[in-house]
């Protein structure tokens, strides 16, 4: 186990070789890949947390994906069914207790911040901005250091994380099902500086991005009515 973490930390100081990189400034979402990962780089002017309803009709949204865990399977939405303290449109909500929420992500004042360990006072700061947002999740990597995960390293699934890499925000998905430990290794190998887990699993992983012409491209098409919250990247319309 110690050797595994050492190898990951060593690889986190390097960058992987990416293929077929798009011009990130002439599209709404830059897309890239390696043999085992997909990279999505939203070209945004602001970030929000949508709660209750997925914002399909908001044409300013260029990327949308489930963010915090949903506490219980319920058809009726309430903020107390989102795991952890969170901020939506500058309003702070307590949410449900969740021991897995070791870190946070916030946006306010035109800047993003990965927070570790989780600190609800940071959410107070996000709530001072009418456009502020924030949510809690499991922190995987913080300032290039791999953190001891609370999840079983041998679990096999598709995994996703909100990441900071080379000074840019991106969402990184595993292409296929992999062990959680291998997913962490891949993030480290690509030089990810900060990484926060994002809710996944069938239906929870339903997500999409919008092309320049407005066409909506689904990443995982299957959806169900139990999701509660989504991180949304917006680009100001011309």
């Amino acid at each position: 186990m110690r050797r595994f973490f050492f190898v990951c930390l060593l690889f986190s100081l390097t960058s992987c070789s990416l293929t077929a990189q798009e011009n990130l400034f002439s599209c709404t979402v830059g897309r890239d890949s390696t043999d085992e990962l997909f990279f999505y780089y939203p070209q945004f002017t602001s970030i929000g947390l949508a709660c209750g309803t997925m914002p399909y009709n908001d044409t300013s949204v260029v990327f949308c994906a489930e963010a915090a865990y949903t506490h219980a399977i319920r058809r009726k939405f309430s903020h107390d069914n989102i795991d952890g303290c969170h901020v939506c449109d500058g309003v702070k909500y307590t949410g449900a207790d969740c021991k897995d929420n070791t870190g946070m992500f916030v946006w306010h004042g035109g800047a993003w911040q990965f927070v570790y360990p989780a600190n609800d006072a940071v959410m107070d700061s996000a709530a001072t901005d009418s456009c502020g947002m924030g949510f809690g999740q499991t922190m995987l990597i913080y300032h290039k250091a791999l953190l001891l995960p609370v999840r079983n390293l041998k679990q096999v699934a598709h995994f996703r994380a909100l990441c900071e890499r080379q000074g840019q925000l991106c969402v990184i998905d595993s292409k296929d099902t992999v062990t959680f430990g291998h997913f962490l290794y891949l993030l480290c190998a690509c030089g990810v500086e900060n990484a926060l887990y994002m809710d996944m699993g069938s239906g929870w992983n339903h997500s999409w991005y919008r092309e320049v012409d407005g066409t909506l491209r689904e990443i995982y098409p299957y959806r169900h009515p139990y999701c509660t919250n989504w991180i949304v990247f917006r680009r100001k319309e011309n």
Side-chain angles (χ1 to χ4, degrees):
M1 180 64 71
R2 290 182 179 178
R3 183 178 181 183
F4 168 80
F5 286 119
F6 174 77
V7 170
C8 282
L9 288 171
L10 179 63
F11 271 98
S12 72
L13 300 178
T14 68
S15 296
C16 62
S17 177
L18 300 176
T19 60
Q21 188 173 31
E22 297 186 15
N23 184 334
L24 300 184
F25 301 100
S26 63
C27 57
T28 52
V29 177
R31 299 181 296 280
D32 210 338
S33 65
T34 64
D35 288 343
E36 297 183 90
L37 297 174
F38 287 120
F39 295 75
Y40 301 94
Y41 290 88
Q43 301 305 292
F44 61 91
T45 54
S46 66
I47 305 172
L49 186 71
C51 296
T53 303
M54 207 174 200
Y56 291 103
N57 296 326
D58 184 345
T59 56
S60 70
V61 175
V62 296
F63 190 96
C64 178
E66 184 85 357
Y69 292 121
T70 295
H71 194 71
I73 302 299
R74 301 176 189 166
R75 284 186 174 271
K76 186 176 180 180
F77 170 75
S78 64
H79 282 280
D80 63 7
N81 198 32
I82 296 175
D83 272 348
C85 180
H86 55 282
V87 173
C88 173
D89 295 330
V91 179
K92 179 183 175 183
Y93 301 90
T94 301
D97 290 336
C98 182
K99 63 180 178 59
D100 291 339
N101 283 4
T102 56
M104 293 175 167
F105 176 83
V106 297
W107 165 274
H108 63 95
W112 74 75
Q113 181 183 2
F114 287 87
V115 180
Y116 179 81
N119 180 357
D120 284 2
V122 176
M123 294 293 180
D124 292 331
S125 297
T128 63
D129 182 346
S130 62
C131 297
M133 66 80 72
F135 67 95
Q137 254 288 5
T138 303
M139 187 67 74
L140 306 178
I141 299 172
Y142 187 65
H143 291 179
K144 295 186 179 181
L146 181 65
L147 303 176
L148 182 64
V150 296
R151 180 182 292 271
N152 181 356
L153 291 173
K154 295 181 179 180
Q155 179 186 1
V156 176
H158 284 96
F159 294 104
R160 168 181 287 163
L162 174 64
C163 300
E164 183 175 3
R165 180 177 178 272
Q166 298 178 348
Q168 294 188 79
L169 276 184
C170 60
V171 173
I172 300 179
D173 287 5
S174 62
K175 282 187 174 180
D176 300 306
T177 57
V178 295
T179 65
F180 186 58
H182 188 62
F183 180 65
L184 294 178
Y185 164 79
L186 294 172
L187 295 181
C188 291
C190 284
V192 167
E193 298 150 19
N194 294 295
L196 193 69
Y197 188 68
M198 298 177 73
D199 199 2
M200 287 285 270
S202 182
W204 309 100
N205 56 11
H206 174 60
S207 47
W208 47 266
Y209 61 89
R210 199 180 303 277
E211 300 278 15
V212 173
D213 64 3
T215 302
L216 193 144
R217 304 290 187 188
E218 293 180 309
I219 300 173
Y220 291 96
Y222 174 70
R223 52 177 165 155
H224 56 59
Y226 308 115
C227 296
T228 59
N229 70 101
W230 304 266
I231 186 170
V232 293
F233 294 85
R234 291 187 173 94
R235 189 158 83 175
K236 187 179 297 185
E237 297 178 276
N238 295 329

